[in-house]
Amino acid sequence: MRHILNYINGKLYQAESKETLEVMNPSNGKMYSSAPSSDHRDVESAVEAARAAFPAWSALSIDARSRYMIKIANRIEEKLDELAIAESIDNGKPVKLARMVDIPRGAANFRFFGNAITQFASESHDMGTAINYTLRQPLGVVGCISPWNLPLYLFSWKIAPALAAGNTVVAKPSEVTPMTAFLLSEICIEVGLPAGVLNIVHGLGENVGAPLCSHPKVKAISFTGSTRVGGEIAKVAAPMFKKVSLEMGGKNPNIIFADCDYEKMLNTTIRSSFANQGQICLCGSRIYVERTIYDKFKTDFVAKAKALKVGDPLLPETNTGAIVSKMHYDKVLSYIEIAKEEGGQILCGGKALHPKGLEDGLYIGPTIIEGLPNDCRTNQEEIFGPVVTIMPFDTEEEALNLANGTDYGLSATLWTNNLTRAHRFAKELDAGIVWVNTWLMRDLRTPFGGVKSSGVGREGGFNVLKFFTEQKNVCIDFG
Ligand code: NAD
């Protein structure tokens, strides 16, 4: 059994409290590791270490910082198999998904921002007899808080740009999936990242995340997680005038017109509904289908969902693994009950599964529900599991109203071969990210984030480097 430790000032430590949290493998329901149950004292040590490291790290040449980032990226790639297996055991996701998506993306995040910082420029404004130039300076110590659904992928998506921009970081991974964050600390030690530049503190949200957000020496918080916790962080950060970037929940629509490329749409919709057990913030959970193809879609979609292989995440043939935690599993099942009470008909799935040999694992069959109105809880609240609803529509206007009819606005997917409709619709959708005839196609240079209750601010590309720097205008009169 590997015990997870905090990474503070370049070394690995237990929590000050000496207490630990159990870490579960959701594929079999058994505890397999432990993580420090840290508190404000560990946060304090980490912030102090980050403060002490800031002057030297921020003064390092861009090239030198970039080289550290690339070294970390290379080491993640060298350890692809070990990290993918660790992510799968910790999270319940199919190992093939971790190997193809999560871990390569962790490496890509460090590589991308290691390169991006070498291309990041500031502006100047010429007044004829005077010149203004804008410095972009790192903020100091920043906090990065991430969720459990894409553990290393989202953790590194925040840490990499923060470090590249010259900040030092105190990072808090989800207590539900701490393992790859711990393995990242070992990688940082292996590549010789200077002590205190990155600090990783494990523990519960209220014990570690909250003191990190309220710490007066922490200048900015980059958070990905639920809308509820994002709201709590905003309340703490606002009177302290901290910069915040909040990437929160979603209830993403998937709008399918009859003129789409049907096979491509069907195969992609299976992925966008059930990949990672539906636990990707960008999954489409409300599927609106033009009435003329609704019955055909329903039949084909249900058949494909039933064919998905649910079971041991470590087997290469598994499509759908385990739900991440008992608490989340109970939540997803409770929403299926709510859907039934609301009058929904379960077309497939809808219940817990107990694969042979993994009877205590947390499995839920891919679930498709029809017959619900748009304004019911099932269609308004984030379930974040392998559960989608399907609904027919007749007109473009109706589809748009249905798609925009929630408090969320993270992403939307549109299927049509009508070019003018695609542009018209993309412009009108309440979402930070719109995919047309594809899903989860990501270019790391593009702005990433949501509108309405899904987010404040944009990550990705130079947007996030701007977030992690402060502008200062310098005006020189030479007239
Ligand atoms: P969560 O909000 O419960 O927890 C996220 C992180 O915040 C965890 O590390 C947690 O320990 C910490 N935390 C909890 N309470 C805190 C507090 N008071 N102060 C500071 N930190 C605190 O979310 P989760 O259940 O881990 O993740 C699922 C959610 O994340 C879903 O809502 C999903 O949509 C969202 N998500 C959003 C995106 C996006 O890009 N918009 C991406 C992935 C996941």
Side-chain angles (χ1 to χ4, degrees), residues 256-271 293 296-297 299-301 304 415 417 437-438:
I256 300 169
F257 285 93
D259 65 4
C260 67
D261 176 343
Y262 187 82
E263 282 308 310
K264 184 179 177 199
M265 175 280 295
L266 189 64
N267 290 327
T268 310
T269 299
I270 282 287
R271 274 201 312 123
I293 59 163
K296 175 173 168 50
F297 172 80
T299 308
D300 295 343
F301 186 51
K304 275 202 180 281
W415 292 94
N417 277 326
N437 299 333
T438 185

Side-chain angles (χ1 to χ4, degrees), residues 145-150 154 157 172-176 203-213 221 223-230 232-233 236 246-250 279-282 327-328 331 382 384 408 410 448-450 454-455 459:
I145 301 177
S146 59
W148 48 256
N149 64 320
L150 300 165
L154 289 175
W157 178 235
K172 184 217 165 308
S174 170
E175 61 274 27
V176 182
L204 299 175
E206 63 263 35
N207 296 342
V208 175
L212 180 59
C213 293
I221 296 291
F223 166 82
T224 299
S226 63
T227 298
R228 183 189 64 76
V229 173
E232 283 178 34
I233 291 174
V236 172
L246 304 173
E247 302 294 339
M248 303 182 288
Q279 303 166 139
I280 300 180
C281 53
L282 305 162
M327 198 166 89
H328 192 56
K331 175 187 155 181
E382 187 183 43
F384 213 51
Y408 291 106
L410 184 55
F448 180 91
S454 290
E459 299 185 317

Side-chain angles (χ1 to χ4, degrees), residues 152-202:
L152 186 65
Y153 177 132
L154 289 175
F155 198 54
S156 53
W157 178 235
K158 298 180 173 303
I159 291 170
L163 293 178
N167 303 284
T168 53
V169 174
V170 178
K172 184 217 165 308
S174 170
E175 61 274 27
V176 182
T177 53
M179 185 53 90
T180 48
F182 170 60
L183 299 178
L184 177 66
S185 17
E186 292 188 330
I187 287 175
C188 292
I189 294 170
E190 283 165 21
V191 305
L193 188 72
V197 166
L198 171 63
N199 305 275
I200 300 176
V201 185
H202 295 271

Side-chain angles (χ1 to χ4, degrees), residues 71 73-83 190:
K71 274 192 203 167
N74 289 344
R75 198 74 190 113
I76 292 175
E77 277 168 0
E78 284 160 16
K79 293 187 154 193
L80 172 69
D81 282 337
E82 180 192 337
L83 288 163
E190 283 165 21

Side-chain angles (χ1 to χ4, degrees), residues 41-64:
R41 292 169 291 176
D42 307 279
V43 172
E44 190 59 47
S45 308
V47 172
E48 265 321 300
R51 262 165 55 79
F54 178 69
W57 180 250
S58 55
L60 217 55
S61 72
I62 286 173
D63 183 54

